[in-house]
Structures are given as structure tokens and as C-alpha cells.
Amino acid sequence: MKKRAFLKLSSTLMAAPILSPLADLAAPEKLKNWAGNLQYSTDRLYEGKSIEQVRDFVKKYNKLKVLGTRHCFNSIADSKDNLLSLKAMDDVISLDTKAHTVTVDASMKYGQLAPYLDKKGFALHNLASLPHISIAGACATATHGSGVKNGNLSTAVSGMEIVTAAGDVRTLSRAKDGDTFNAAVVHLGALGVVTKVTLDVQPTFMMRQDVYENLPMAQLKEHFDAIVSGGYSVSLFTDWQKSRVNEVWIKRRIDKGVKLDAKPEYYGATLAKKNLHPIAELSAVNCTEQMGVPGPWYERMPHFRMGFTPSSGKELQSEYFVPRKNAVEAILAVERLKAHISPHLMISELRTIDADKLWMSPCYKQPSLAIHFTWKQDWASVKKVLPMIEKELAPFHARPHWGKLFTMTPVQLQSRYEKLPAFKQLVTEYDPKGKFRNDFLNTTIYGI
């Protein structure tokens, strides 16, 4: 999905006294997100190393936001006042082998957790294309992988610990808290500071990955469900040109006693003869192993290797979720805009995600297709194309990814979340004075 391999995670947070601003200790560069398209509105970045320090910080300041691995393309994590990093809080707290759960510090990254789980004989149900993102941040924005039977990453959350605006510590669980839990998991940073997350795990498993090239778009019209159900996780990459999907990435579980092979064709697409990058002209050196080579789940489900160090790359991203029942219509609607899209596009990815019960998830109560766009870093041009895409997808009540770029009005956005009024009531309970609100939340959640 990336035109370049990824921006080097820009800062190694230096050891500092409690609540000492990290920006004062580092080079006087302006804080930016990993892609460099967003400059944060304050340089006051503080570090919390324990739950006690987090509570003290929250009590001390009237306005703040938590800043994670900076992988959002919009201002959802921005603050004009104070930013809090939990980077130092990234340990595994406990693995419950009987309950099949693992509890971690919220700042832990999937790339850290996955090898640990695998060594203990466990796995997560899914991973995103990039393993360098934090668990808490990914769950807060309903980030996802792929698979018709796989919910987004947030659906693995079975418990969480959160520091509210008053500095109180609350714990929530799927088993005990019902609707409150379903409201809080995809919280958009509005409820407080998440300090611990408990995730469901399952027995570890092996996978293989096979890639096919040049799937005729006409095949999607006739066989969409079969194509996206051809593996545990399936991704379709297209530049919307030549009436074809450029690449089909099929990730399949290897179960004992079941022999898997790769047929030379897949609905008219041909089996690749070498490892490929999602953008075919780029080197696949940092992509996960393909060609049917068996490997552990965490080395096949992401598109990019966990072991490589992210490096510089400039891009923008947008993504829209539509009901899976409307997938073909939505794909064809976007394809009609190819003359407007292609000059600014690096690649698009089409993925399926199962329905969930999480109030602010784009997949709430609907199995979905996610239509993703990786753009050249030219916001002036992209900003003109997004309204066209959103207009074409409007009949399907498309919901944008919370952490990516979109231009929908607050009225449009809010009309697509039936539980939004109830979510706002919960926000008022956890944060009555708006300590965690910022311009993004004021616009998207409250801006009517």
C-alpha cells in the first residue's frame, strides 16, 4: 500500500523527569505525523512512564491529547495545548492461557506483541498491513486487516483500562459492561487515556501467501464473493486502469493434514513468479514472503515485514467503508472516476471486514468493503478528488476511516452512526468539561 517504505518513526523518546516536555530535550523540529503531511499544533509533548504519572498529568492539565505512533493522516490526535506520549509503557502485563487473553500496555505495537505470542503458542485473529502501529491507537480508530470472517482489530479487545478526565482509573470488559464496553472500544480519543488493553488470542498457526496478477475487473462483477473468500485474508490492489485489478494477495492458513497449493490461474489472474510490492514497479524487499512459502501468522498477514526499519516516504491516505452487499456497485462507481483519480494515485486496496457491535466502528452492524486510496502527497489535488468519490459512494452511506483524510460534512458523517447520540452521552460522563476534545472532535462529532 505504500509508495515508499515508511517514514522513520521520528523520535526515540529520551529519558526525562516526570511530566518533562520531550520536545525541550530533542532537536527543535516541529512535531509531525509519520508521513509528514501534518504538523501538530503544539510542541509540548510529555512522557508518561506509569499509570501514576499518567493520572498526575491528566489532573494537572485542562486540555490534552494522547499521541501514539503518529500514523493518522488527519488531526484526530492533534492538540493546541498538550500532547502525552505513553511510548515507554509498552510491556506485556499478563498472558492468560486458560482464558485465551493477553493484557498489554496500550503503547505496545503489534510488531512487538506478535512474536511474543507466537513463542507462547498463541496468535491474534488479524493484523493490519503495517505492523508498526500501536495497539491502543489502532483500536481507537477501528483500524483493520482483511477477511470476510475477520472483524477489525478492535474486535479482539475484551478489556481496557482508561484514565478519565478526573484522573480516575476505570476498567471495562466485554463480559461485564455490555453497551458501555461496545461504546468505549472505538473511542476516537474522546473518553480519556487508555493505559491497558486486553486482547483475545487463539492457538498459533502457519500461513502461506500467494499473489496473482491482472485480475479482469469483469470477474469482480460476476464472482466478487468467491474472489474475496479465497483465503483467510484477501487484498485486491488496483490503479483503476485497464479494467483490471493489478494484484490479488491471498493469505491462507495452513492446517494440519490439509495440503495447499496455488493454481496457475485465479479467476483469470495469473500466478506471480516472484515476490511483488503492491506497486509492481517498486522493490518487494520489505514485503512479507510470498510464493507460497510457509511462515508464522505474523509474518504473512501484514503486507510489510516486521523486522525492517520504516524509512522516509511521503503519501496521503483515504479510505471508505461500504456494506459488502453493495461492494460491486461501489467499486464500479469509483472506477468511473478513474480519469480524476489516477493522476494523483499511487495505488488502491480493496479489503473485506466482518460486522461488529462497536458503536463508532465503520463496520458497526454491517459486513463491509473498505476502498483504500494511497495518494501522492499533493493535498491541493486530492482535496478536489475526495468530494467526487464521496458523492459516488453516497448512495451506499459510506463511512470514512477515522484516521485518514476525508471531506464529508459533519451532517453527512454523523447521520451514518446511529449510536452517535448515545456515544456523546458517554463522552460527557467520562469527560464533562471537554478535556480530551480537540478541533477534529469538535467538528466531526459535535459540529452541526
Side-chain angles (χ1 to χ4, degrees):
M1 265 175 17
K2 313 302 179 194
K3 180 70 173 177
R4 302 279 179 253
F6 307 94
L7 175 72
K8 186 175 283 184
L9 296 177
S10 59
S11 60
T12 300
L13 301 184
M14 300 172 64
I18 182 171
L19 302 182
S20 176
L22 294 172
D24 289 350
L25 301 175
E29 295 180 0
K30 295 294 184 181
L31 290 172
K32 294 184 178 180
N33 65 343
W34 72 272
N37 71 295
L38 175 70
Q39 179 175 302
Y40 295 103
S41 301
T42 180
D43 292 327
R44 291 185 290 274
L45 175 61
Y46 300 84
E47 181 177 28
K49 297 182 179 179
S50 67
I51 184 69
E52 292 78 16
Q53 288 189 6
V54 171
R55 294 183 68 191
D56 288 343
F57 183 86
V58 170
K59 291 176 183 178
K60 180 176 180 179
Y61 293 99
N62 293 325
K63 298 288 290 185
L64 66 106
K65 296 298 292 183
V66 177
L67 189 62
T69 50
R70 311 183 193 183
H71 282 83
C72 289
F73 288 80
N74 58 32
S75 59
I76 189 170
D78 194 19
S79 173
K80 295 178 179 177
D81 301 284
N82 302 287
L83 294 167
L84 175 62
S85 169
L86 306 183
K87 187 174 182 180
M89 299 171 63
D90 65 348
D91 292 330
V92 173
I93 297 170
S94 64
L95 174 63
D96 190 330
T97 58
K98 293 183 179 180
H100 279 200
T101 62
V102 63
T103 300
V104 300
D105 285 329
S107 191
M108 173 163 273
K109 302 177 183 67
Y110 286 97
Q112 296 171 271
L113 177 61
Y116 167 87
L117 287 177
D118 188 63
K119 289 179 182 178
K120 299 292 185 179
F122 291 96
L124 298 170
H125 82 288
N126 213 337
L127 292 170
S129 60
L130 178 66
H132 305 81
I133 55 178
S134 70
I135 293 169
C139 294
T141 54
T143 294
H144 61 93
S146 185
V148 294
K149 296 181 180 179
N150 298 325
N152 65 45
L153 303 186
S154 312
T155 60
V157 177
S158 59
M160 56 196 298
E161 176 185 87
I162 187 167
V163 177
T164 69
D168 299 327
V169 178
R170 295 194 187 184
T171 58
L172 296 171
S173 74
R174 185 193 298 137
K176 295 187 302 181
D177 294 294
D179 275 350
T180 299
F181 176 81
N182 290 333
V185 175
V186 182
H187 56 83
L188 315 180
L191 296 180
V193 181
V194 174
T195 48
K196 294 179 185 176
V197 180
T198 299
L199 302 173
D200 295 332
V201 297
Q202 59 182 279
T204 190
F205 54 92
M206 298 285 284
M207 299 190 82
R208 63 176 287 167
Q209 181 170 220
D210 298 285
V211 175
Y212 290 82
E213 298 182 87
N214 300 315
L215 174 77
M217 193 69 77
Q219 292 284 0
L220 287 183
K221 301 176 187 177
E222 301 296 327
H223 306 289
F224 176 81
D225 286 336
I227 289 170
V228 297
S229 301
Y232 185 85
S233 171
V234 176
S235 293
L236 312 177
F237 293 95
T238 180
D239 59 8
W240 304 104
Q241 296 298 301
K242 301 180 182 179
S243 299
R244 55 92 166 93
V245 171
N246 305 42
E247 298 175 12
V248 182
W249 290 36
I250 303 175
K251 306 166 192 275
R252 292 181 289 169
R253 289 182 59 137
I254 301 175
D255 296 316
K256 289 183 179 180
V258 179
K259 184 179 179 181
L260 295 178
D261 57 11
K263 296 180 180 179
E265 290 193 9
Y266 189 74
Y267 294 93
T270 56
L271 185 65
K273 294 179 171 57
K274 63 178 182 179
N275 285 354
L276 295 177
H277 190 283
I279 302 171
E281 64 268 23
L282 297 184
S283 170
V285 65
N286 288 327
C287 294
T288 47
E289 190 69 41
Q290 301 159 28
M291 307 296 292
V293 178
W297 58 278
Y298 68 93
E299 290 184 353
R300 295 297 178 271
M301 277 200 285
H303 299 329
F304 298 94
R305 296 180 187 271
M306 293 187 176
F308 84 94
T309 301
S311 59
S312 180
K314 293 185 177 181
E315 64 189 66
L316 303 175
Q317 292 185 15
S318 302
E319 187 170 39
Y320 300 94
F321 298 76
V322 298
R324 205 176 95 197
K325 64 182 181 181
N326 301 126
V328 173
E329 298 169 273
I331 290 168
L332 296 179
V334 173
E335 188 185 28
R336 289 194 291 269
L337 296 173
K338 61 185 179 182
H340 300 280
I341 292 172
S342 293
H344 315 294
L345 185 72
M346 293 182 180
I347 201 69
S348 276
E349 183 177 10
L350 310 176
R351 288 183 284 180
T352 55
I353 309 98
D354 203 4
D356 59 57
K357 299 178 181 179
L358 308 177
W359 289 6
M360 300 306 292
S361 165
C363 301
Y364 178 69
K365 288 187 176 181
Q366 65 177 34
S368 299
L369 169 75
I371 305 176
H372 185 279
F373 302 87
T374 300
W375 304 102
K376 300 173 185 176
Q377 201 172 78
D378 178 5
W379 176 235
S381 298
V382 173
K383 185 167 58 174
K384 296 177 182 178
V385 178
L386 292 184
M388 300 180 191
I389 296 171
E390 291 167 2
K391 182 178 180 181
E392 287 294 323
L393 296 179
F396 316 115
H397 305 287
R399 299 166 177 167
H401 190 298
W402 288 109
K404 302 185 189 296
L405 298 168
F406 55 89
T407 61
M408 287 183 183
T409 66
V411 173
Q412 291 173 319
L413 184 63
Q414 293 173 29
S415 69
R416 293 167 194 184
Y417 285 89
E418 62 181 86
K419 301 297 289 188
L420 180 61
F423 176 73
K424 289 162 71 173
Q425 290 179 3
L426 185 66
V427 173
T428 299
E429 176 189 338
Y430 276 62
D431 184 17
K433 296 182 180 179
K435 178 173 290 191
F436 301 109
R437 282 172 58 170
N438 60 1
D439 288 348
F440 180 91
L441 293 175
N442 287 336
T443 300
T444 58
I445 303 301
Y446 297 93
I448 293 182

